[in-house]
């Protein structure tokens, strides 16, 4: 089974292709350029290098959020369109889970962080499942004020590994609240990778959706324009 995976939920554009659990290739960039203009050329380039055609694919995988509203929409719309056109299933994976997978095997709790602005974070808690060789959620993904989240985390007895681009923004605060219980991923581990998304999708293939039209993004909050509209109502 060949899976094409794509993640545009952050500044990173990540694409990967996996066949039966083996990575065939990936392409990852972290530059502030328009994903809508770069995603399909990246997909075409990777498939060409692997000498694959879209008709060779058996499934699609996409990071469905949380993250940038525009980025999540671009990735999901592209993945759904391809899945519908090729008549293949699609599976969505948490953007936070993709990042946490970079440190699968950590003996403790893995805490991915993305900055949601206004001192809020997109976050969750993950643990390593040895049987499936992947991280799994210990609590649901959420958006929460950082201070509330750290107050809850400091009650945990296990080591806490913080990972994701939000770590750079809040590392000092995390150290002050969590202390020596806090561990931090290496700089290169904070970014999502197409290979990790593809691997998680392969492991979680039982969650696939056969009708791509019914798949929805997982924003965790309303867009700012929607919030303002509701307030006016």
């Amino acid at each position: 089974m060949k899976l094409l995976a794509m993640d545009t939920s952050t500044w990173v554009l990540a694409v990967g292709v996996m066949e039966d659990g083996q990575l065939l290739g990936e392409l990852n960039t972290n530059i502030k350029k328009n994903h809508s203009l770069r995603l399909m050329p990246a997909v075409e380039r990777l498939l060409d290098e692997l000498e694959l055609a879209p008709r060779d694919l058996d499934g699609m995988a996409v990071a469905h959020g949380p993250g940038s509203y525009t980025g999540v929409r671009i990735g999901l719309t592209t993945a759904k369109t391809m899945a519908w056109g090729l008549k293949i299933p699609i599976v969505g994976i948490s953007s936070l889970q993709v990042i946490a997978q970079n440190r699968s095997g950590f003996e403790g709790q893995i805490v991915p962080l993305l900055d949601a602005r206004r001192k809020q974070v997109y976050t969750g808690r993950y643990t390593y499942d040895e049987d499936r060789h992947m991280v799994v959620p210990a609590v649901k993904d959420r958006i929460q004020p950082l201070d509330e989240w750290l107050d809850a985390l400091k009650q945990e007895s296990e080591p806490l590994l913080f990972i994701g681009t939000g770590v750079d923004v809040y590392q000092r605060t995390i150290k002050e609240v969590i202390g020596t219980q806090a561990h931090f991923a290496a700089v290169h581990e904070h970014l999502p990778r197409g290979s990790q998304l593809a691997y998680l999708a392969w492991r979680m293939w039982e969650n696939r959706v056969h009708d791509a039209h019914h798949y929805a993004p997982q924003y965790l909050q309303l867009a700012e324009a929607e919030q303002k509209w509701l307030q006016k109502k």
Side-chain angles (χ1 to χ4, degrees):
M1 180 179 67
K2 294 184 180 69
L3 283 172
L4 170 64
M6 58 184 67
D7 184 352
T8 58
S9 60
T10 65
W11 284 120
V12 172
L13 188 155
V15 181
V17 177
M18 182 161 287
E19 181 176 16
D20 298 330
Q22 297 297 317
L23 179 67
L24 299 184
E26 66 177 322
L27 188 156
N28 305 288
T29 62
N30 184 31
I31 52 179
K32 296 181 180 181
K33 291 188 177 181
N34 195 330
H35 288 334
S36 65
L37 299 178
R38 298 176 58 242
L39 177 55
M40 282 310 300
V43 169
E44 291 172 3
R45 174 184 167 186
L46 183 57
L47 291 179
D48 284 347
E49 290 182 354
L50 296 174
E51 298 182 351
L52 294 175
R55 63 178 177 275
D56 297 320
L57 300 173
D58 302 298
M60 296 292 305
V62 63
H64 61 201
S68 158
Y69 285 100
T70 302
V72 171
R73 285 197 297 270
I74 290 168
L76 194 58
T77 299
T78 303
K80 288 172 64 174
T81 300
M82 290 187 67
W84 179 81
L86 296 169
K87 296 180 173 56
I88 56 177
I90 183 172
V91 61
I93 306 294
S94 161
S95 306
L96 296 171
Q97 189 172 7
V98 175
I99 296 169
Q101 182 67 18
N102 284 338
R103 283 300 303 270
S104 62
F106 178 75
E107 295 182 358
Q109 303 279 329
I110 304 170
V111 184
L113 287 180
L114 295 176
D115 185 20
R117 298 186 300 178
R118 299 174 183 172
K119 296 184 179 180
Q120 296 188 109
V121 290
Y122 295 117
T123 189
R125 274 198 293 118
Y126 289 82
T127 57
Y128 181 59
D129 184 332
E130 293 185 1
D131 294 331
R132 303 181 73 187
H133 304 289
M134 59 178 280
V135 295
V136 295
V139 299
K140 290 182 178 180
D141 292 351
R142 61 194 59 206
I143 180 172
Q144 190 167 7
L146 178 68
D147 56 352
E148 292 181 6
W149 182 232
L150 294 180
D151 284 342
L153 288 175
K154 69 182 181 182
Q155 308 303 320
E156 298 293 322
S157 58
E158 294 181 276
L160 300 168
L161 176 76
F162 292 86
I163 189 170
T165 54
V167 171
D168 285 342
V169 182
Y170 298 115
Q171 185 165 343
R172 182 175 178 179
T173 302
I174 293 169
K175 287 181 177 178
E176 290 174 352
V177 176
I178 304 298
T180 58
Q181 191 180 353
H183 301 261
F184 299 94
V187 173
H188 68 278
E189 295 172 326
H190 291 311
L191 304 178
R193 298 187 63 90
S195 55
Q196 301 290 29
L197 171 58
Y199 177 80
L200 288 169
W202 175 67
R203 284 291 184 185
M204 300 170 66
W205 191 237
E206 70 275 8
N207 297 333
R208 65 191 180 277
V209 175
H210 290 277
D211 187 348
H213 289 300
H214 292 297
Y215 208 87
Q218 306 297 311
Y219 293 127
L220 299 187
Q221 67 170 335
L222 296 175
E224 186 174 353
E226 293 173 307
Q227 292 175 354
K228 291 180 178 179
W229 182 83
L230 289 173
Q231 289 171 357
K232 289 181 180 178
K233 291 293 182 178

